Amino acid sequence: MRTSPNRGFTLIETLVTLGVFSALLVGIASLTMSLQTTNARALVSTDLSADGTRVIRELRRELRQSGWQDAATDMVTAPATPTGAPIIAQQNTAATVTVLAFQPRIGLTNTAADWGPQVSYQVVPNGNFVGVVGAPMSFRLQRTQGALTTVVASNLSAMSVQRNAGEDTVLIQIEFLRRDPSSTGADA
């Protein structure tokens, strides 16, 4: 009797091959999920950075229009004085806090008609992230001028505004919350 040269694979060879390919697939799937999580975190960080840049750019533009650098035309009412303590809204603050208030310049002379209606920026509590035990308090920054209120930024954890004594500077610090896309919790 002749034996055939095309015997095929044994059961053990098939099982070893399946085990190797299964381990390879699990490794590839794990790597893919890790890359997706890293990408999602990078996108959130990029969005927060862009939001922060946009908010600071808007505040800087409006402050320049308020005439705050010149004592004769200083229309900033909050923070009240250059020597005052900073106005701070942070996680233990449960009420709305006006962190910045001023009148924008709309004309070229220093008469009362050259100043527009007061603009104020408030930090308003949003509450905690829903369904997350021990989650940090979240705030939104809103701009009010007359009857018009707009939300400028969301997911703030803290904001402070201070006018430095002896200098023509206004220090604005904003901290954003970053929601972790890989869990139901939140990171600061």
Side-chain angles (χ1 to χ4, degrees):
M1 182 170 239
R2 296 172 90 187
T3 58
S4 170
N6 298 331
R7 282 185 43 212
F9 295 107
T10 65
L11 181 59
I12 301 229
E13 291 172 332
T14 305
L15 289 176
V16 167
T17 303
L18 280 173
V20 168
F21 281 120
S22 295
L24 204 69
L25 285 174
V26 166
I28 290 171
S30 174
L31 180 64
T32 301
M33 289 188 320
S34 175
L35 287 174
Q36 286 177 337
T37 301
T38 302
N39 185 42
R41 286 183 179 163
L43 287 173
V44 167
S45 292
T46 301
D47 287 346
L48 286 179
S49 178
D51 283 350
T53 301
R54 179 186 52 77
V55 169
I56 293 295
R57 188 180 314 125
E58 183 177 322
L59 288 170
R60 183 177 27 200
R61 179 183 53 80
E62 287 198 323
L63 274 172
R64 283 185 180 149
Q65 292 175 351
S66 73
W68 66 273
Q69 300 101 329
D70 183 7
T73 61
D74 189 353
M75 299 303 264
V76 177
T77 56
T81 63
T83 58
I87 298 176
I88 299 174
Q90 55 191 2
Q91 291 182 10
N92 59 359
T93 305
T96 298
V97 176
T98 299
V99 292
L100 187 60
F102 55 88
Q103 284 183 270
R105 182 183 291 249
I106 58 173
L108 298 176
T109 63
N110 283 334
T111 64
D114 290 331
W115 298 97
Q118 181 165 321
V119 173
S120 62
Y121 283 87
Q122 298 95 17
V123 176
V124 180
N126 265 347
N128 296 23
F129 283 111
V130 177
V132 180
V133 177
M137 179 72 105
S138 166
F139 298 95
R140 70 181 178 272
L141 177 64
Q142 64 186 28
R143 178 187 187 276
T144 303
Q145 185 174 19
L148 179 64
T149 298
T150 56
V151 174
V152 177
S154 296
N155 296 329
L156 274 67
S157 63
M159 180 172 178
S160 69
V161 178
Q162 180 176 7
R163 296 179 71 185
N164 294 331
E167 299 178 22
D168 288 337
T169 59
V170 175
L171 175 65
I172 300 172
Q173 294 178 316
I174 303 173
E175 295 177 23
F176 287 92
L177 290 172
R178 176 180 59 87
R179 186 170 181 122
D180 188 350
S182 64
S183 69
T184 58
D187 292 343

